[in-house]
Every structure is written in structure tokens, then in C-alpha cells.
């Protein structure tokens, strides 16, 4: 049997997201509670897997399913932290002369072209996320669609901008109108925070 010391549990990060443009307090409260659920489930699954290992049940069906679920819950927790952590009232526009603006232009030709592609990625049918990611090898930036939370991540790519497009991110405010939610989201991006993620 394998004995593991209990890890320190994850704690939900607190965010001050009052007065966002086009994203209401009730919408954010609902979304934040869902994020807290991912944190709770990550801790529960981590504990369960540790217990199963201690019981010598590695490789059993219950262990395997808990392990698979951990990827979903953990990614959901972390991606929400990237999402909430880069929102602020009156976010403004990305400056083309910043390192981030220049890096985007190197790949897409202009910030406008990148933004059109990012928004189109977010409009794809399905549940998931639109993410601007940085290749750790070439440092190139590229928009990706991530299904659920854990499917479609290029290995070791660095998250720069993370936009939640699951229905729970916008239905309270916009119903099924994802396009208007995306426009509202762009008004609330903290480009200073997003730029700090560039490597």
C-alpha cells in the first residue's frame, strides 16, 4: 500500500468584480459559485484518490474514473482563475505598441484580425473556452478552442487570455445570445494583467 501525506487543500481565489460593463452582479455571483464547486470537487477528488492509493486500489475502475474526473475539475478551477483574474471595469483597448500587441500582430497581422478570430473561436458551437495561448518553443501566440475544460490543450502552452463560453458564463444576462456576451467581456479585459502573462 502507498501512503501519501494529505496535500494542502485549494482555496477559492477572491475577486473584486463589481461594476463590470455588461456583466451583472447576479451573473457573476452565479458564475463564482460554480467556480467554487470546481475548487471543492478538486479537493474531494484529490482526497479520494489518496485514500484509494492507500487502500491499494490503484488501477481499479473507481480509481480510474476519479482520476479522469480530476482533470475536468482541476482544469475548470484553474481556467476560471485565469478568466476572473483578467477582468476589470473599464478595461479599455489593447495598445498595439505593447509587447502583447506586437506579439499578436506578428502572428495575425493586426490586433483587429486577432480579435475577429478570437471572437469567432468563442462563437463556435459547443461548451468550452476560447483561449489565446503562447507556444513555449516559438513564443508564437495562437487562438484555440478548448472543449469542456480539459480537452484540446496543446502541451505546455501558456494561457494568455482565457474566455469562458459555457452557457453559465452569460445566460443570466444574455440568454442564448453569446455574441453580445463576448462583446461585453471584451469591454472588461484587464490588458495589463493579460500582458503580464506573456513569456
Amino acid at each position: 500500500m502507498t501512503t501519501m501525506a494529505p496535500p494542502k487543500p485549494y482555496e477559492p481565489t477572491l475577486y473584486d468584480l463589481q461594476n463590470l460593463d455588461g456583466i451583472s452582479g447576479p451573473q457573476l455571483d452565479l458564475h463564482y459559485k460554480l467556480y467554487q464547486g470546481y475548487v471543492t470537487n478538486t479537493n474531494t477528488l484529490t482526497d479520494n484518490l489518496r485514500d484509494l492509493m492507500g487502500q491499494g486500489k490503484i488501477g481499479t475502475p473507481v480509481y480510474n474514473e476519479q482520476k479522469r474526473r480530476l482533470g475536468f475539475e482541476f482544469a475548470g478551477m484553474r481556467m476560471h482563475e485565469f478568466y476572473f483574474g483578467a477582468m476589470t471595469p473599464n478595461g479599455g483597448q489593447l495598445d498595439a505598441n505593447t509587447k502583447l500587441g506586437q506579439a499578436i500582430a506578428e502572428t495575425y497581422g493586426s490586433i483587429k484580425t486577432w480579435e475577429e478570430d478570437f471572437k469567432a473561436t468563442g462563437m463556435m458551437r459547443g461548451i468550452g473556452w476560447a483561449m489565446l495561448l503562447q507556444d513555449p518553443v516559438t513564443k508564437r501566440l495562437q487562438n484555440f478552442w478548448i472543449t469542456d475544460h480539459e480537452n484540446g490543450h496543446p502541451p505546455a502552452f501558456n494561457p494568455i487570455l482565457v474566455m469562458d463560453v459555457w452557457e453559465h458564463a452569460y445566460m443570466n444576462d444574455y440568454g442564448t445570445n453569446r455574441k453580445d456576451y463576448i462583446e461585453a467581456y471584451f469591454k472588461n479585459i484587464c490588458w495589463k494583467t493579460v500582458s503580464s502573462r506573456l513569456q
Side-chain angles (χ1 to χ4, degrees):
M1 292 186 186
T2 303
T3 303
M4 290 178 58
K8 182 179 178 181
Y10 293 99
E11 296 286 341
T13 303
L14 299 177
Y15 300 96
D16 182 10
L17 297 177
Q18 301 304 311
N19 304 312
L20 293 182
D21 187 355
I23 302 176
S24 69
Q27 174 67 71
L28 288 166
D29 290 343
L30 171 68
H31 201 168
Y32 186 77
K33 286 177 185 175
L34 288 166
Y35 157 65
Q36 288 176 306
Y38 291 118
V39 177
T40 298
N41 290 341
T42 294
N43 288 327
T44 298
L45 287 165
T46 300
D47 290 342
N48 290 352
L49 287 164
R50 186 186 70 249
D51 292 344
L52 289 166
M53 289 176 72
Q55 297 165 22
K57 294 184 178 178
I58 293 175
T60 62
V62 66
Y63 176 90
N64 294 347
E65 288 309 309
Q66 299 262 313
K67 182 66 85 171
R68 285 189 184 98
R69 189 69 191 180
L70 179 60
F72 175 84
E73 300 290 348
F74 185 91
M77 174 184 72
R78 188 65 75 218
M79 289 163 69
H80 277 95
E81 290 167 354
F82 279 109
Y83 171 77
F84 288 129
M87 294 174 74
T88 188
N90 305 310
Q93 299 291 319
L94 175 59
D95 184 344
N97 295 316
T98 61
K99 286 184 180 179
L100 178 59
Q102 292 170 355
I104 285 173
E106 284 178 16
T107 301
Y108 288 91
S110 70
I111 292 173
K112 180 182 178 184
T113 301
W114 162 78
E115 185 175 320
E116 289 173 354
D117 184 70
F118 189 87
K119 289 177 178 179
T121 302
M123 285 298 297
M124 290 170 52
R125 288 179 59 82
I127 52 174
W129 302 72
M131 295 177 66
L132 174 64
L133 302 175
Q134 184 180 29
D135 185 332
V137 177
T138 65
K139 306 305 181 191
R140 179 180 175 184
L141 299 178
Q142 190 169 347
N143 296 326
F144 281 87
W145 171 263
I146 308 300
T147 301
D148 290 330
H149 303 312
E150 76 280 29
N151 298 315
H153 293 271
F157 274 45
N158 180 40
I160 305 297
L161 181 64
V162 175
M163 180 175 66
D164 191 344
V165 290
W166 281 65
E167 287 85 353
H168 64 242
Y170 59 87
M171 283 201 72
N172 201 53
D173 285 341
Y174 293 100
T176 59
N177 189 345
R178 188 186 290 186
K179 182 177 181 181
D180 284 356
Y181 155 71
I182 291 173
E183 293 301 324
Y185 171 74
F186 261 77
K187 295 177 185 175
N188 297 288
I189 296 172
C190 181
W191 291 109
K192 181 178 179 181
T193 297
V194 174
S195 297
S196 73
R197 298 170 177 169
L198 193 67
Q199 294 179 353

